[in-house]
Amino acid sequence: MSGLRAGQVAEAAGVNRQTLRYYERVGLLSEPDRTLGGHRMYPAETVTVIRVIKAAQRLGFTLDEVAELLDLGTHRHGTPGLQARATAKLTEVEARIADLEVIRDTLKAAVAAGCDDLIACSHIPSCPLPFAGLAEGKAADAGSCC
């Protein structure tokens, strides 16, 4: 029987053996063949599949989304393809970046204002930490705080 043992696959793909087993349980990897001694023997392309999974995760795709994308590669179910999914993920990432920019600007204003006490600062109208406005995505103007 040819193939790679779990340790070889894990090392080549940069993951641990538990990750392989988890990916099998959730359906990202097919159950591998086993030797007479019970050792898992994975096809060599398993390393590529795992690298693709990890790369997709770094791009912000969840494991459920990765599973759907892998399924798209083997079966077309009339669902949106990679281009549509990547476009949707890009929109999500751009929205998160916009949120993070608001957070950054607000924290910069708090640092510049010298806020040291959240409770005291929250009662001062000029406090740059918009306790209500932050949830709405509005940055406050820097002012004197605490």
Side-chain angles (χ1 to χ4, degrees):
M1 174 179 294
S2 66
L4 301 171
R5 288 182 135 182
Q8 293 170 309
V9 171
E11 184 177 342
V15 298
N16 60 48
R17 292 179 190 190
Q18 290 76 20
T19 300
L20 296 178
R21 291 192 181 103
Y22 178 73
Y23 287 176
E24 287 174 34
R25 280 195 311 274
V26 299
L28 290 169
L29 294 177
S30 300
E31 179 88 20
D33 292 332
R34 291 184 181 261
T35 65
L36 293 175
H39 297 284
R40 290 176 163 86
M41 295 300 291
Y42 294 87
E45 61 267 9
T46 303
V47 173
T48 302
V49 172
I50 294 169
R51 288 178 178 162
V52 166
I53 292 168
K54 298 310 279 181
Q57 283 184 294
R58 283 190 298 278
L59 291 173
F61 289 98
T62 65
L63 284 180
D64 287 339
E65 291 169 331
V66 172
E68 291 172 7
L69 290 170
L70 291 173
D71 190 47
L72 284 173
T74 55
H75 308 96
R76 289 273 175 193
H77 299 295
T79 57
L82 178 59
Q83 285 293 316
R85 306 263 175 120
T87 300
K89 185 57 67 178
L90 179 59
T91 300
E92 287 177 29
V93 168
E94 287 172 342
R96 283 197 318 237
I97 289 170
D99 289 343
L100 288 171
E101 287 173 343
V102 168
I103 293 168
R104 179 200 58 212
D105 294 344
T106 303
L107 289 172
K108 281 182 176 181
V111 168
C115 293
D116 280 331
D117 183 327
L118 284 178
I119 302 302
C121 192
S122 69
H123 297 294
I124 298 171
S126 63
C127 179
L129 296 175
F131 293 96
L134 189 58
E136 299 167 12
K138 298 176 186 172
D141 294 326
S144 161
C145 191
C146 318

